Amino acid sequence: MLASATLTSRIAGRLQRIGRAVVDGVLPPRCLSCGEIVDEPDALCGQCWSGITFFAPPWCMLCGLPFPHPMGEDALCGLCARGRPVWDQARAVLRYDKNSRRLVLGLKHGDRTHIATAFGRWMYRAGSEVLASADLLLPVPLHWTRLFQRRYNQAALLAQAVRAAGGPDVAADWLVRRRRTPVQGHLGPAARERNVRGAFGMRARRSVVGKRVVIIDDVMTTGATVGECARVLKRAGASSVGVLTLARALRTGA
Ligand SMILES: [Zn+2]
Ligand SMILES: [Zn+2]
């Protein structure tokens, strides 16, 4: 009796899901990372969810690096205490590691631009402090040759999604990439900084004077790219520069 009741409710649940898929006119929702069928659209399956590290307080007031124990609201991590970053505050949704790589790269290489909508909502939530008083979102630009290859800039896609989730306006082409920088994958922090120096600029007749801007990118690795963008924006007169990324790589042991 109990077994058949469970079976009935399982079938009912299944029918409900199928019904909803039919009503929505789409296939059943799939995990954003692995493609398993899930209950809700724009979600992760249990296994992918449990493998991914979502950043949460307590964290460094400046860069959002999570602390293992509460440290007080104004606490800084070792890196920020040693040298203040160029930008004022940074936040990321999740840790970039072997478990999240597939999810994050889905945005970059797959034809899965719809997942940006879900990421935008996550970023809007994780970045609430950075976005609170922001006037503009500025995606990190791709060089046009790379844009041509890839057809879209994933940072611009994320910025639009953050805007759609309730964020401020997007100034999509205000930051420009002056030269194509070599791929940074294998470079260390100092080499990455040299790699991007002078790579960015402001588009003519666009002004960020007195504006509170937030740089948007998919992954922050050493911070060299967003650091260089922040330098450009501060020099151009921005009153504050925040950084909001989907993912952030941490050095092992951090
Ligand atoms: Zn999954
Ligand atoms: Zn920090």
Side-chain angles (χ1 to χ4, degrees), residues 30-36 38 43-49 102:
R30 292 183 176 273
C31 170
L32 292 172
S33 182
C34 74
E36 273 290 303
V38 289
L44 294 169
C45 72
Q47 202 176 349
C48 289
W49 181 267
R102 183 173 177 177

Side-chain angles (χ1 to χ4, degrees), residues 166-224:
D169 285 339
V170 180
D173 56 355
W174 287 28
L175 268 177
V176 291
R177 201 179 275 254
R178 295 194 192 286
R179 60 179 170 82
R180 187 175 171 149
T181 45
V183 173
Q184 309 206 90
H186 57 288
L187 300 177
R192 276 171 188 254
E193 242 171 71
R194 277 196 304 277
N195 192 30
V196 293
R197 181 129 316 152
F200 301 97
M202 288 294 299
R203 189 170 295 279
R205 295 185 295 281
R206 300 287 195 279
S207 171
V208 290
V209 173
K211 290 202 158 64
R212 293 157 298 188
V213 300
V214 177
I215 301 166
I216 304 283
D217 208 356
D218 54 351
V219 183
M220 176 161 147
T221 311
T222 62

Side-chain angles (χ1 to χ4, degrees), residues 71-95:
M71 305 271 282
E73 276 197 6
D74 296 335
L76 298 185
C77 73
L79 269 176
C80 291
R82 271 198 296 279
R84 285 266 170 153
V86 190
W87 34 262
D88 298 289
Q89 203 173 35
R91 293 290 181 267
V93 176
L94 52 92
R95 180 175 183 172

Side-chain angles (χ1 to χ4, degrees), residues 59-65 67 75-81 85 87 248:
W59 52 24
C60 167
M61 189 251 302
L62 285 187
C63 77
L65 185 83
F67 295 134
L76 298 185
C77 73
L79 269 176
C80 291
W87 34 262
R248 176 179 170 188

Side-chain angles (χ1 to χ4, degrees), residues 62 85-91 130-131 133-136 138 175 202 208 210-216 225-244:
L62 285 187
V86 190
W87 34 262
D88 298 289
Q89 203 173 35
R91 293 290 181 267
V130 180
L131 295 169
S133 56
D135 299 309
L136 279 178
L138 282 91
L175 268 177
M202 288 294 299
V208 290
K211 290 202 158 64
R212 293 157 298 188
V213 300
V214 177
I215 301 166
I216 304 283
T225 300
V226 292
E228 186 62 18
C229 289
R231 225 183 309 276
V232 168
L233 291 165
K234 286 259 164 125
R235 225 181 284 141
S239 66
S240 79
V241 179
V243 175
L244 178 57

